Amino acid sequence: MRVAFVSLLAPGHGVTPARERTRRVASGLADRGHEVVWLCARWWGGDHDVFEEDGIEYRSVAADPSPTAFAARLPLALRRVAPDVVHAVNSPPTPGLGATVAGTLARTPVVVDWWRDHPADAARRYRFLAKGADRVTTPSRTTKTRVREHGADGDDVRVVPESVDFDLVEAADVDDRFDAVYARRLDRHANVETFLLGLAELRGRDWTAAVVGDGPERERIEATASDLRIADRVSFLGDLPRRERVELFKGTHVVAATATWETFATELLWALACGCVALVEYQADSSAHELVEGRERGRLVTSPAELADEFVAVGDLPRRTVEPDFAGYDHDAVLDRYVETYRELVSD
C-alpha cells in the first residue's frame, strides 16, 4: 500500500506528542514494507526537495511552513505521489483541508488523525475538516467527542490509542525502590500537588515515592514537597530513558495520574502495562480516566483525601510486573488498527 502523510510540520521541525505519533505510524508502515511518503514543509538543509530516511521518503511541498502556501501546492504534490490513501493531521487545519479537496478530486480516501484542538486554529476550519475527512482517528473517546461536536459523523470516527513496546515491558528488569510514582512533564497542567497532598496525609505510614519528569514547574513542585515535610520520602528523578522508566514502573505498586489536561495519558499507559495499580483523578480536560474505567486495578478519585484513602485500599492488591491485558496496546497491535482503517476505505 502506498500511503501519503500530509503534515505541514515533521519531527525535524521539533518533536511534539502529535508529531511523534505520526512518525511512529509512518515508521511502522515502512517497516512492514508499505511505501510511505511524507509531504511537509522543508526542515532539512540543501537544495534537494526529496530525501529518504528510515524507509520514509520526505518531500518538500513548501520551503517555509506556511499553511496556506502548503495547501495550495498540495494537490499537485499528491497527484505526483498517487497514493492509495492519505493520512493527514488536524493541526493546522488548512493543509488537512487541502488534502480532503485533493482526495475528492483524485478519488483517494483521506484519514485525518486528530490529536487535539489547538487554540491557535480556527474552529470554523475544524468544522470543514471534520466533515470532509473520509475517516477520523482520535487517541481517546474524549477527543472523539470533540470531533463529533465539530460535525463529524460518529460512525466515521475511530479511537486509535497511543501504544507501548510490550516486548520491552516483558524483558526489562525491575526497579523496586518505590511504592508510588507520578510520571509526566512537569508543566502548568501537571497538578502534582494532588499526588503530594495525598501522600502527606499518610505521613504515619511507611512509603516511598518518585516523581519522574522535568519541566518549568519542577522547582515549585519540589518546594511543595518540602513545605509538606515529605521531601525526604519523595525522589525527583527528572527525565529518564524509556527503559529506566519501564524498570521503575515494573517495581512500583501504585501510579498516580492527576494532570488537569491530558490528550492521552501515555505514561499512565506504560505504567499500567507494567502492572501498576492506577489512581486517577478525574479531570474534564483529561482522557486518563478512560484507561482505568471498569478495571479492578484502577481507581478514580476527585481529591487528595480520596487518593490517600485509595492508596491504602489498594494495598492488598498483589504487585505485578506485567499486565497481559495491555498487550493490545503494543505498537504492532495499534498499527493494525490504522492499516485496517486504510484497507476499509480503499476497498469501498
Side-chain angles (χ1 to χ4, degrees), residues 187-228:
D187 57 22
R188 62 190 178 93
H189 303 291
N191 188 31
V192 186
E193 289 80 1
T194 294
F195 178 57
L196 298 178
L197 286 166
L199 292 176
E201 294 200 20
L202 303 172
R203 289 188 192 91
R205 291 179 174 268
D206 183 21
W207 55 262
T208 57
V211 175
V212 177
D214 210 340
E217 295 295 307
R218 177 173 175 175
E219 184 176 343
R220 185 185 62 78
I221 294 167
E222 289 187 359
T224 298
S226 180
D227 292 341
L228 292 171

Side-chain angles (χ1 to χ4, degrees), residues 15 17 23-24 58 76 116 151 163 196 219 249 277 343 347:
V15 176
R23 184 209 61 78
R24 187 170 58 250
Y58 292 90
L76 178 59
R116 71 176 180 99
S163 56
L196 298 178
E219 184 176 343
F249 291 151
V277 178
R343 286 178 173 157
S347 64

